[in-house]
Amino acid sequence: TAALLRKEQLNAYGVLGPNGPDGQRQLRGTAMYAQCSLINHECNPNVARFDYFDAGDTRVVFRAMHDLPSGTEVTQSYCPLHWTFEERQQHCSEVYGFVCNCPRCQTESQGLHHGDDDDSSDWETDDGEDDMEMG
């Protein structure tokens, strides 16, 4: 039973409720999507996940954040993009059982992320207006 629950934790997507009075969305439960669970992690992903649970639609949609050449691996981030290197490493290790060695983490681990002395991350994405829908 523990092994099955661990597999669910590693591969399930959170189903969030509508915004509460404080503006935050609360976790309602989880859902399994067989094909989506095959998408690997990268801290600078090339797709973003969208859901429409509030509208009663249980589909999950991934949209490319930029043009993807044919054959490019589709990657998503398993943690918020604004998290620091240390936060992302801890999350990937504790929750998913791996040390992230993606290009972003390699750069930041060498102290090359724009020469900043603070712990904030400068990695951002656009607003998604021109994103390409994955189907």
Side-chain angles (χ1 to χ4, degrees), residues 64-67 126-133:
M65 295 194 287
H66 51 78
D67 289 340
D126 63 19
D127 62 8
E129 291 297 319
D130 296 324
D131 290 344
M132 178 172 73
E133 190 164 320

Side-chain angles (χ1 to χ4, degrees), residues 86-113:
E86 292 79 13
E87 290 170 322
R88 297 189 320 271
Q89 287 294 312
Q90 181 178 0
H91 183 74
C92 288
S93 177
E94 290 178 0
V95 176
Y96 296 99
F98 70 90
V99 174
C100 185
N101 197 29
C102 72
R104 178 179 174 191
C105 284
Q106 289 176 23
T107 299
E108 291 183 20
S109 72
Q110 296 170 6
L112 300 177
H113 70 290

Side-chain angles (χ1 to χ4, degrees), residues 1-53:
T1 304
L4 184 59
L5 290 173
R6 178 74 175 144
K7 286 181 183 179
E8 178 186 7
Q9 177 189 18
L10 294 175
N11 293 292
Y13 286 84
V15 176
L16 300 175
N19 288 345
D22 61 357
Q24 297 293 320
R25 296 180 75 187
Q26 299 296 317
L27 184 66
R28 281 195 278 202
T30 60
M32 298 289 290
Y33 297 91
Q35 291 179 329
C36 297
S37 68
L38 300 174
I39 301 174
N40 287 322
H41 165 80
E42 189 166 310
C43 292
N44 189 25
N46 55 26
V47 298
R49 177 179 69 103
F50 294 86
D51 65 61
Y52 304 96
F53 299 132

Side-chain angles (χ1 to χ4, degrees), residues 50-100:
F50 294 86
D51 65 61
Y52 304 96
F53 299 132
D54 295 343
D57 188 342
T58 59
R59 289 178 301 139
V60 171
V61 175
F62 287 88
R63 292 191 180 129
M65 295 194 287
H66 51 78
D67 289 340
L68 300 177
S70 180
T72 300
E73 178 182 13
V74 172
T75 59
Q76 64 179 329
S77 183
Y78 296 172
C79 48
L81 298 180
H82 69 274
W83 280 7
T84 66
F85 170 76
E86 292 79 13
E87 290 170 322
R88 297 189 320 271
Q89 287 294 312
Q90 181 178 0
H91 183 74
C92 288
S93 177
E94 290 178 0
V95 176
Y96 296 99
F98 70 90
V99 174
C100 185

